[in-house]
Structure formats: C-alpha cells, structure tokens
Amino acid sequence: MLVALVAFLYATAAWRQRAGGRAWSGWRTASFIAGCSVLAVSMLPQYLPFPEGDFRQHMLQHIMMGMLAPLGLVMAAPVTLTLKTVPARYGRIITTVLQSRLFHLWANPVTALALNIGGMAALYFTSLYYEMMMQPWLHYVVHFHFVAAGCLYTWVIAGPDPAPRRPSVPARLIVLGVAVLMHSVMAQMLYAGLFIDLPIPPDHLKHAAELMYYGGDITEMLLAFALVSTWRPSAKTSQAYQLRRRARFV
C-alpha cells in the first residue's frame, strides 16, 4: 500500500510538471513506476517462483528489493522532481539536509558500499538470519535496510539527482568494481558453505548462491551502464581534446 502511494505521488508530481508546461521525462516516470512494481512484487512472496520459506525466495527478494528496484527508483530522479514540485520553503529544507556534513558522510561512495555489502555480510555470516526468522519486526528492519542501502548506493554511484561532493566517474567506477568483486566472493562463499551456519538444505544454498552471483552481476552491469551513459566530460577536458585533435592536422 505504501509503495502504491509513493508511485501515485510521483506520477502526480510528474503530471503536474508536464501540465504546467515544464518538461519532465516520461522515461523517468516509467522508471519509477517500474522500480515500485519490482519492490511491490518482492514484498509479496506468494508471487515469487519459489515456495515460502525457501532460501532461494529470500535471495530473489534481496536482489529485487536491494539492487533492481533501487535502480529504477533512483534513475527516476525523485529528489529533483520533489524540489520542482514542493513550495520553496520546503525545498530549502531539503537542500539544507542534502548539504549537511552528516549527509556528506552518508553520500560518500565508500560509506554507501559499506552499508550495502556490510548488510549482506551481517545477514549471512552472523546470527542475524536466525534472529530475523524468529523476530518478525526484525524481518521488516532488514528489508528496509536493503532498500535504503540499495537506493543510497545507486544514487551516489550513478543517480541523476545531484549528490554532495560526488567523486569523479573513474573513482566511482573503481568503487563499483570493488562492489562487484565483493559481491562475487560472498556468493562463492555461500556456494561453498564457508563461515556460515544457516538452517538451509545444501542444494537450496547453492542455487541461492548462483542466483546471487548471476543476478548481482546483471544488476551491477545495469548500474555501470547507467553511470557511463550519463558521463559527460567537463568543459576543460572537451576543450583540451579539441585542441589536441586540431594540432594533429596542423
């Protein structure tokens, strides 16, 4: 219900922009609706291909809500749309929060990577998974962390919304490469059953690890494409390139 409300608010804000003669990409609206749809389906286990309680179902939920849904949500530039829609006084509040020192720490790609990968490591290599199965409220907290950490990581790596002190594209590509490596190592450790003690049949654990490995690769590739597709060289870089090119024909 909450996801449907958020999707409705975004669609309404986008419609108001277009109705008021202000341009807003239909692709961004479609991206946000798609992200909300993936998130909604991930929260309805009965619609997933694996039976309830199956670890493969849990892994598919993790990929959908922590990696795939954030990609659709973040690439829709919700912060930019919000700033265009809300009254100026609220926009100043949002801008102040985004420019705060605490938010600068959260918006660092290394911090975002630590929250993203660290959450998975804590779930699979500590007793957190046991506790989550025993405490329903903790289950919701873990799901919220996956969504929030996934959106934060996607935003600081490739989000179209402005981010404070965002590093260069090559630096973000390095962080993305580290994330791919750590994700792959974690999947291989799950497959081999190293340093884990989960009440899961070995064949289910291996299939879930394969799902994590290949599903993670696909979403990371989509994120990398989103990053490089929005890369625009700076004016100085473009000017230097043109000068070098002309010099070759002098």
Side-chain angles (χ1 to χ4, degrees), residues 121-133 138 197-198:
L123 183 61
Y124 301 134
F125 300 105
T126 71
S127 61
L128 180 59
Y129 187 83
Y130 281 110
E131 298 296 332
M132 185 181 71
M133 294 295 102
L138 186 57
D197 183 20
L198 302 176

Side-chain angles (χ1 to χ4, degrees), residues 192-209:
L194 296 177
F195 306 111
I196 62 171
D197 183 20
L198 302 176
I200 302 166
D203 58 330
H204 285 194
L205 183 61
K206 289 185 177 181
H207 291 155

